[in-house]
Amino acid sequence: DIRRPEDFGTAVAEFRRLQGISQADLARLVGVNRTYLSNLERGDVPAYVERLVALADSLGLTITISSA
């Protein structure tokens, strides 16, 4: 569950590793640079992620990331 903005990056890193994808490969697939993805995984999240988590929290919602 995503309870803090930093949890989003942690979840991305975890699922990326479970799928055996490197940061460089995922960054290419998504269209961002590897540094951006590295920062995200370390918890340096963009403002929109912070707002999304705050919005969900304000409404009593839980954001869950799971593999498809």
Side-chain angles (χ1 to χ4, degrees), residues 9-43:
T10 301
V12 169
E14 181 179 326
F15 280 101
R16 177 184 59 74
R17 289 185 194 110
L18 285 172
Q19 293 184 22
I21 300 172
S22 70
Q23 280 184 339
D25 288 340
L26 182 57
R28 264 192 302 280
L29 286 170
V30 176
V32 298
N33 65 48
R34 194 205 56 78
T35 302
Y36 175 87
L37 183 58
S38 175
N39 291 342
L40 179 77
E41 289 184 358
R42 282 197 329 268

